[in-house]
Amino acid sequence: MSLRIVVTVKYVPDATGDRHFADDLTVDRDDVDGLLSELDEYAVEQALQIAEDADDAEITVLTVGPEDAKDALRKALSMGADKAIHVEDDDLHGTDAIGTSLVLAKAIEKAGFDLVISGMASTDGTMGVVPALLSERLGVPQVTLLSEVSVEDGTVKGRRDGDAASEQLEASLPAVVSVTDQSGEARYPSFKGIMAAKKKPVESWDLSDLDLEAEQVGLDGAHTVVDSAAERPARTAGTIVKDEGEGGKQLAEFLAGQKFI
Amino acid sequence: MAEVLVYVDHVDGAVRKPTLELLTLARRIGEPVAVALGSGAENTAAALAEHGAVKVLTHDASEYADYLVVPKVDALQAAYEQVSPAAVLVPSSAEGKEIAARLALRIGSGIITDAVDLEAGDSGPVATQSVFAASFTTKSRIAKGTPVITVKPNSAAVEPAAAAGAVEALAVSFSDKATGTKVTGRTPRESTGRPELTEAAIVVSGGRGVSSAENFSIIEALADSLGAAVGASRAAVDAGWYPHSNQVGQTGKSVSPQLYIASGISGAIQHRAGMQTSKTIVAINKDAEAPIFDLVDYGVVGDLFDVVPQLTEEVEARKG
Ligand SMILES: Cc1cc2nc3c(=O)[nH]c(=O)nc-3n(C[C@H](O)[C@H](O)[C@H](O)COP(=O)(O)OP(=O)(O)OC[C@H]3O[C@@H](n4cnc5c(N)ncnc54)[C@H](O)[C@@H]3O)c2cc1C
Ligand SMILES: Cc1cc2nc3c(=O)[nH]c(=O)nc-3n(C[C@H](O)[C@H](O)[C@H](O)COP(=O)(O)OP(=O)(O)OC[C@H]3O[C@@H](n4cnc5c(N)ncnc54)[C@H](O)[C@@H]3O)c2cc1C
């Protein structure tokens, strides 16, 4: 039977742009270009490698996000994923991590899956919790933060480099995996891939397709509220000296003045 | 007074510093009740009592080491049900965030991650987060359920505050999901004898400008003269000059030391994401236009191979 892989990808504001918040304290997505979260490219890459090693596999990329999030799906399709699902609904505006995981889990169940692959964290929210939440919701093992991953005979194995130790992990499918940016460079879409992606199916689902109510998601359904967002004041300009042979000593003088030595 | 559950990060009973910082924050909201799991859990009690824990709930079982994350979620949930706390605080490690998120979902709560400060508020604890590569500061709350909040290292001072710290055995029965992900092997990270990167008061980092693995000895020598941890940019890590566990930035560690010294690092947004909240920032870079200089309290435009050894020598000399 075919190995059904669902890759979750997030559409995020470009980190090198001038990111800021809208009046309702959600992320302003109008003034900054969006793109596929770079860390999710690693998830797509590992899905492609796992699919290449399997006899028969199908990769579905899934995003929950606004209209433009289709760009993220197109990128993943042009890298080689087979089809895409876009969950889009005006009521999703302002959804928090708990709500996002609910929508993703419902969509993953509806799509059918043996393996879910996520990125290690998004580049905007950067929470690093959605894969663990998906594991909890779907009732399947979490094999997360892997810098190496393989699937064989219905078992997923991988290496998780933690703070205190590097661990070898193993779980039976179905499972939720997340991969780090150490898992291997993501491929660039080829011209052929970009052309092929235009013909690949992209399904659009809204909340009613997932049997979800508006109150369960969005700003109203959120379990968290942001009360304020303030731009961090620019750091006051420091002293900059040019090394004329005494730079190290001048720096030591500064550090001594600050009581570091 | 309301009780606040604090998840203890420890290594065989040695409590790690971020947990002691959590106790400082927990005391702003209520009475800290600590939860320590795994081998050596009971040995955490003395340190936790010294820093304000009124109670220490402990439990040990082989499941904590043999299976990933879920056994710890089961135990924290058991503690939550026993205590009915006003909030649950967890250190913001990769694992801590996963445990906290799963607990929040189970108990019908929201989750806030990577708080850098915490205060009591009229409608529950208010968390400060530093977001978008530390260019914005937000204040948020949990609107539904018992607040579950993870807090970054170096977010508060460690403050002694003697309390009873009475040890109580926690009753835990593992869920059928607890054994889903087996840990089949574990290689402990070799100790360098230097402070833990995320906990260190001073971090000395090197980037592409360091040019080779061997040259990192210059960075290490400066770090050792200051009693600092060593960090690296992703460029240096990707080149294989320094381990990934020392990477500072968005996909590495996030640090917030008293002093951060960047040598041969340009200051890309993804690097800044991991160090911009440092109290004092110093950079050495031969390019006067490098963006890192926008952040510094003190910068030296020069060749790091001249400046860093001279600085190390001067530090050693001043120590006498
Ligand atoms: C600055 C900022 C701070 C925030 N803080 C909080 C907070 O403290 N608490 C809270 O509940 N919410 C918070 N949010 C909202 C939260 O980011 C979103 O709900 C988000 O969809 C889930 O969190 P994340 O992006 O951090 O995902 P992570 O957990 O970092 O994402 C990990 C992986 O999950 C997958 N994934 C995540 N989101 C999607 C998606 N929409 N579609 C497809 N795949 C996805 C991707 O594979 C991704 O690599 C914050 C948002 C921002 C911008
Ligand atoms: C999704 C994503 C995540 C990322 N995560 C991270 C992360 O976690 N951490 C991170 O650091 N980066 C991260 N990056 C990479 C980041 O964008 C930069 O590429 C990286 O930080 C550059 O490292 P660098 O400053 O050492 O190198 P460069 O940008 O090449 O800068 C080297 C600097 O050294 C100076 N220099 C050279 N020789 C000398 C000398 N002899 N003396 C003094 N100065 C000298 C140069 O003037 C230059 O400014 C990420 C990127 C992406 C896309």
Side-chain angles (χ1 to χ4, degrees):
Chain A
M1 213 187 82
S2 165
L3 179 71
R4 295 164 304 168
I5 305 175
V6 178
V7 185
T8 58
V9 298
K10 190 176 184 187
Y11 178 75
V12 298
D14 186 349
T16 57
D18 181 18
R19 294 182 293 183
H20 53 274
F21 290 89
D23 291 341
D24 66 353
L25 300 179
T26 62
V27 179
D28 187 333
R29 295 176 185 274
D30 295 336
D31 293 345
V32 185
D33 286 342
L35 76 181
L36 167 63
S37 175
E38 280 154 310
L39 295 173
D40 291 344
E41 291 182 20
Y42 296 92
V44 175
E45 176 62 35
Q46 290 309 310
L48 291 167
Q49 291 190 20
I50 289 167
E52 282 158 13
D53 291 342
D55 292 339
D56 182 18
E58 184 180 56
I59 302 173
T60 304
V61 287
L62 165 65
T63 196
V64 174
E67 168 80 42
D68 293 344
K70 282 205 172 54
D71 293 353
L73 294 175
R74 282 283 166 225
K75 170 97 187 257
L77 290 173
S78 65
M79 288 173 72
D82 300 301
K83 56 182 188 150
I85 298 169
H86 183 190
V87 182
E88 187 194 357
D89 199 306
D90 288 344
D91 290 324
L92 284 167
H93 179 76
T95 306
D96 65 2
I98 296 284
T100 301
S101 69
L102 173 65
V103 179
L104 285 170
K106 286 279 188 186
I108 290 165
E109 275 169 341
K110 184 174 158 99
F113 74 103
D114 300 299
L115 180 62
V116 177
I117 307 185
S118 300
M120 62 187 285
S122 70
T123 57
D124 61 347
T126 72
M127 295 179 72
V129 299
V130 166
L133 290 168
L134 290 177
S135 155
E136 182 73 33
R137 288 198 184 271
L138 296 167
V140 303
Q142 75 166 71
V143 197
T144 47
L145 298 172
L146 303 182
S147 14
E148 232 174 58
V149 58
S150 65
V151 174
E152 218 172 310
D153 301 328
T155 301
V156 51
K157 291 185 187 174
R159 193 184 81 235
R160 170 172 165 126
D161 296 324
D163 280 346
S166 174
E167 294 169 327
Q168 296 292 336
L169 304 179
E170 196 177 303
S172 301
L173 298 184
V176 174
V177 160
S178 76
V179 297
T180 72
D181 62 336
Q182 299 294 300
S183 58
E185 261 326 290
R187 68 194 66 187
Y188 286 103
S190 64
F191 178 70
K192 214 175 119 210
I194 294 169
M195 295 314 286
K198 295 190 170 151
K199 299 197 197 75
K200 290 178 179 171
V202 179
E203 274 192 66
S204 270
W205 292 349
D206 62 14
L207 288 177
S208 64
D209 290 317
L210 300 175
D211 294 324
L212 289 170
E213 305 291 334
E215 308 84 72
Q216 291 173 275
V217 297
L219 278 176
D220 291 343
H223 290 71
T224 47
V225 260
V226 181
D227 286 328
S228 69
E231 200 155 357
R232 195 183 163 84
R235 293 184 78 104
T236 43
T239 310
I240 296 184
V241 300
K242 195 169 171 341
D243 179 34
E244 313 264 5
E246 299 279 298
K249 287 187 181 152
Q250 286 167 284
L251 186 44
E253 192 58 43
F254 169 78
L255 295 179
Q258 303 283 313
K259 306 268 186 286
F260 288 115
I261 38 181
Chain B
M1 202 178 186
E3 293 179 314
V4 176
L5 217 50
V6 172
Y7 182 85
V8 177
D9 190 0
H10 69 99
V11 182
D12 287 325
V15 179
R16 291 183 56 183
K17 185 165 152 256
T19 301
L20 301 179
E21 296 164 6
L22 274 192
L23 289 172
T24 299
L25 295 175
R27 285 189 288 114
R28 295 186 189 162
I29 306 166
E31 290 191 324
V33 174
V35 183
L37 307 172
S39 141
E42 288 181 12
N43 301 336
T44 61
L48 296 169
E50 266 169 48
H51 295 90
V54 295
K55 230 186 287 176
V56 181
L57 306 177
T58 65
H59 186 247
D60 188 16
S62 57
E63 278 83 351
Y64 297 121
D66 294 348
Y67 300 94
L68 193 71
V69 173
V70 185
K72 294 171 182 161
V73 182
D74 288 347
L76 192 55
Q77 186 180 8
Y80 166 82
E81 279 159 9
Q82 182 183 323
V83 173
S84 302
V88 182
L89 306 185
V90 181
S92 245
S93 60
E95 184 184 66
K97 292 202 274 188
E98 294 184 329
I99 294 170
R102 295 186 75 131
L103 175 77
L105 183 54
R106 287 187 186 183
I107 65 177
S109 295
I111 167 136
I112 289 174
T113 54
D114 296 322
V116 294
D117 199 4
L118 207 57
E119 299 149 71
D122 294 338
S123 14
V126 178
T128 305
Q129 285 168 296
S130 183
V131 306
F132 291 161
S135 59
F136 277 83
T137 304
T138 59
K139 290 198 187 284
S140 9
R141 281 175 295 120
I142 307 281
K144 289 182 192 152
T146 304
V148 179
I149 299 170
T150 78
V151 181
K152 279 196 183 185
N154 282 340
S155 295
V158 173
E159 290 168 6
V167 178
E168 240 176 69
L170 178 69
V172 180
S173 54
F174 292 116
S175 63
D176 58 346
K177 303 292 180 211
T179 54
T181 309
K182 202 169 170 33
V183 180
T184 55
R186 177 177 282 118
T187 318
R189 229 176 66 206
E190 265 175 57
S191 165
T192 57
R194 297 195 179 91
E196 191 63 40
L197 184 55
T198 52
E199 300 170 13
I202 303 179
V203 174
V204 176
S205 287
R208 200 193 304 274
V210 177
S211 311
S212 73
E214 295 73 49
N215 288 342
F216 254 87
S217 60
I218 299 172
I219 302 296
E220 290 180 333
L222 174 59
D224 292 342
S225 74
L226 291 164
V230 177
S233 73
R234 173 152 134 183
V237 170
D238 283 355
W241 304 337
Y242 224 68
H244 179 252
S245 51
N246 295 69
Q247 182 175 315
V248 171
Q250 189 186 335
T251 53
K253 299 279 157 47
S254 165
V255 302
S256 194
Q258 295 299 319
L259 171 64
Y260 188 86
I261 304 181
S263 300
I265 293 177
S266 62
I269 182 90
Q270 296 91 352
H271 187 79
R272 294 194 333 228
M275 47 69 73
Q276 195 154 341
T277 57
S278 306
K279 307 293 174 297
T280 299
I281 298 175
V282 166
I284 299 148
N285 195 305
K286 66 180 182 191
D287 175 11
E289 304 295 316
I292 190 85
F293 284 126
D294 296 342
L295 303 180
V296 299
D297 296 286
Y298 199 91
V300 179
V301 180
D303 193 324
L304 73 91
F305 296 105
D306 298 328
V307 178
V308 174
Q310 189 180 69
L311 172 59
T312 308
E313 208 175 291
E314 194 64 22
V315 174
E316 294 292 359
R318 282 171 190 251
K319 282 200 297 197

